[in-house]
């Protein structure tokens, strides 16, 4: 990366302060005293993490997203291949999810999510991806650049990559080739793993044991609550557990830990998975991980007793709540999910300054 630009250094000093520090309350939530919100860290990637962030920003002003950096498809993959940078796409989506509901926030959310349509090299590139990569090159610092983008957007929280090096996701998949349904092959790349027609047995990262971003580790250790999921299970949720320093932080933190399950199995990656199967594969990848609460949509759990038994292996209680959109799509409703998180924080949290 290039050295820091004096012009951008001045810009960082002159952008308006304070927008990211003001929480937006969940509908029906009890008003919180100024400076009395729980410190929450949400881990994941893609649309699943965006759903969590859109909910969590409604109930706390102290929110940090820790985002996977193994994407190798679309605009992110092209920028990664051409410039050797971290894939910016999931980081961009997290920033967009943290934008406020006012005109400023919604305008910037649309701008950074905008994709060009052309017959040239800009086709399908997202504006936010280009902005993030430009600031990385100008500032020479991943975290400072993302903080600057967040300040520009008025984001209600902070976005951090889980590692400062681009990662490749690899998976052992049974039946990836439909003509050899019993064979187990190594499948490379997040985009390929997410769409495999076979059964994913396990995943790992290349390089092995990648370094975590220190600010991400510090955020987990300092949190009151850590939220893992929802999202693509093998490509967005489990990868955080494959970064040794992050896994150590998750096992050592005094924060309470909530796992948010998906509304439905994902075609390809988790086809046919039951809610408890999601917990089983999580446990295989991180056998020492403990949880406090497993959150699931009440309509997505056919047998609560079976899920409860699976959750007990992590030391967790099960909370069922209506968190899906009412249009029947497998997407979370931000306000319903916010209400569920808020209730969990109040019922299961230790006595803390936000109560």
């Amino acid at each position: 990366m290039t050295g820091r630009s004096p012009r951008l250094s001045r810009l960082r000093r002159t952008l308006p302060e304070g927008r990211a520090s003001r929480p937006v309350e969940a509908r029906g939530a009890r008003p919180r005293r100024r400076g009395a919100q729980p410190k929450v860290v949400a881990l994941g990637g893609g649309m699943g993490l965006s759903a969590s962030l859109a909910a969590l920003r409604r109930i706390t002003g102290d929110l940090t997203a820790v985002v996977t950096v193994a994407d190798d498809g679309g605009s992110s993959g092209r920028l990664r291949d051409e410039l050797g940078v971290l894939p910016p796409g999931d980081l961009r989506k997290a920033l967009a999810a943290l934008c406020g509901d006012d005109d400023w926030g919604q305008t910037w959310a649309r701008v950074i999510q905008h994709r060009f349509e052309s017959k040239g090299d800009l086709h399908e590139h997202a504006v936010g991806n280009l902005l993030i990569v430009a600031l990385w090159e100008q500032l020479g610092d991943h975290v400072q650049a993302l903080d600057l983008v967040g300040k520009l957007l008025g984001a209600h929280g902070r976005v951090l990559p889980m590692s400062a090096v681009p990662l490749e996701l690899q998976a052992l998949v049974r039946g990836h080739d439909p003509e050899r349904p019993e064979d187990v092959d190594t499948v490379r790349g997040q985009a390929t793993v997410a769409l495999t027609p076979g059964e994913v047995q396990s995943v790992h990262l290349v390089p092995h044991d990648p370094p975590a971003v220190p600010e991400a580790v510090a955020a987990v250790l300092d949190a009151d609550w850590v939220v893992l999921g929802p999202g693509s299970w093998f490509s967005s949720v489990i990868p955080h557990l494959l970064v040794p320093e992050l896994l150590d932080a998750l096992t050592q933190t005094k924060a309470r830990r909530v796992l948010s399950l998906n509304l439905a199995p994902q075609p390809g990656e988790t086809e046919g998975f039951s809610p408890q199967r999601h917990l089983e594969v999580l446990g295989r990848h991180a056998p020492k991980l403990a949880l406090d609460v497993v959150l699931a949509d009440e309509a997505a759990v056919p047998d609560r007793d079976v899920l409860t038994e699976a959750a007990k292996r992590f030391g967790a209680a099960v909370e069922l709540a209506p968190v899906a959109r009412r249009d029947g799509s497998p997407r979370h409703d931000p306000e319903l999910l916010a209400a569920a998180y808020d209730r969990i924080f109040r019922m299961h949290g230790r006595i803390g300054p936000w109560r």
Side-chain angles (χ1 to χ4, degrees):
M1 293 184 180
T2 60
R4 182 177 301 175
S5 163
R7 181 179 297 176
L8 281 169
S9 296
R10 292 195 298 271
L11 176 60
R12 290 174 63 237
R13 293 194 298 268
T14 57
L15 279 171
E17 298 286 347
R19 295 182 64 89
S21 63
R22 296 196 299 268
V24 180
E25 298 294 339
R27 182 178 296 176
R30 184 183 305 169
R32 299 182 186 277
R33 301 188 306 277
R34 178 178 175 84
Q37 301 90 24
K39 295 179 180 179
V40 181
V41 176
L43 294 86
M47 299 310 297
L49 176 61
S50 295
S52 252
L53 296 176
L56 289 166
R57 69 174 170 81
R58 287 166 159 79
I59 60 174
T60 183
D62 198 333
L63 177 59
T64 301
V66 179
V67 184
T68 54
V69 286
D71 189 8
D72 61 348
S75 172
S76 287
R78 290 160 59 194
L79 289 168
R80 174 177 174 165
D81 290 342
E82 184 172 346
L83 301 175
V85 296
L86 294 180
D90 283 354
L91 297 161
R92 180 200 81 243
K93 292 174 186 175
L95 285 163
L98 289 174
C99 286
D101 294 322
D102 57 355
D103 288 342
W104 179 277
Q106 289 306 294
T107 296
W108 275 109
R110 290 192 298 270
V111 167
I112 66 170
Q113 294 282 55
H114 175 77
R115 291 185 184 272
F116 295 104
E117 293 186 10
S118 74
K119 296 181 180 180
D121 292 339
L122 273 178
H123 182 64
E124 282 296 299
H125 271 307
V127 171
N129 289 356
L130 302 178
L131 174 62
I132 290 169
V133 172
L135 284 168
W136 282 342
E137 293 194 344
Q138 289 290 312
L139 294 178
D141 186 295
H142 293 104
V143 173
Q144 287 186 7
L146 289 166
D147 284 345
L148 180 57
V149 177
K151 187 178 291 189
L152 172 66
L153 305 182
H156 293 251
R158 192 182 196 194
V159 173
L160 299 169
M162 72 177 186
S163 179
V165 297
L167 304 173
E168 180 183 76
L169 186 72
Q170 296 187 1
L172 294 178
V173 180
R174 183 185 301 277
H176 179 68
D177 183 347
E179 295 185 359
R180 298 182 289 110
E182 298 303 318
D183 287 0
V184 176
D185 297 311
T186 298
V187 176
R188 294 174 171 83
Q190 179 176 311
T192 306
V193 171
L195 297 175
T196 180
E199 179 184 349
V200 179
Q201 307 286 297
S202 64
V203 291
H204 61 274
L205 295 174
V206 177
H208 293 281
D209 300 339
V213 167
E215 291 86 349
V217 173
V220 171
L221 291 174
D222 192 45
D224 296 309
W225 277 93
V226 175
V227 177
L228 185 62
S232 300
W233 216 243
F234 287 104
S235 52
S236 293
V237 177
I238 290 177
H240 290 85
L241 309 177
L242 306 179
V243 179
E245 292 165 310
L246 264 184
L247 180 58
D248 287 345
L250 285 167
T251 56
Q252 295 171 14
T253 183
K254 295 181 180 179
R256 293 294 178 97
R257 288 151 291 206
V258 56
L259 177 71
S260 188
L261 293 179
N262 294 337
L263 297 172
Q266 183 175 344
E269 189 172 320
T270 55
E271 187 74 43
F273 272 36
S274 63
Q276 56 271 18
R277 179 77 181 280
H278 285 78
L279 289 178
E280 291 167 3
V281 298
L282 194 78
R284 288 205 304 269
H285 286 83
K288 295 183 179 180
L289 180 67
L291 300 169
D292 293 281
V293 180
V294 173
L295 170 65
D297 183 77
E298 56 189 9
V301 178
D303 192 327
R304 176 169 183 161
D305 291 339
V306 174
L307 180 59
T308 298
E309 285 301 312
K312 283 181 179 178
R313 300 189 186 103
F314 292 85
V318 170
E319 287 290 338
L320 301 183
V323 294
R325 292 180 183 266
R326 294 186 174 91
D327 60 6
S329 65
R331 296 184 298 163
H332 288 84
D333 181 285
E335 292 188 352
L336 292 177
L337 188 57
Y341 282 142
D342 189 64
R343 183 165 60 90
I344 287 171
F345 294 170
R346 294 176 186 277
M347 291 178 59
H348 295 272
R350 300 178 179 89
I351 299 298
W354 68 88
R355 300 190 68 186

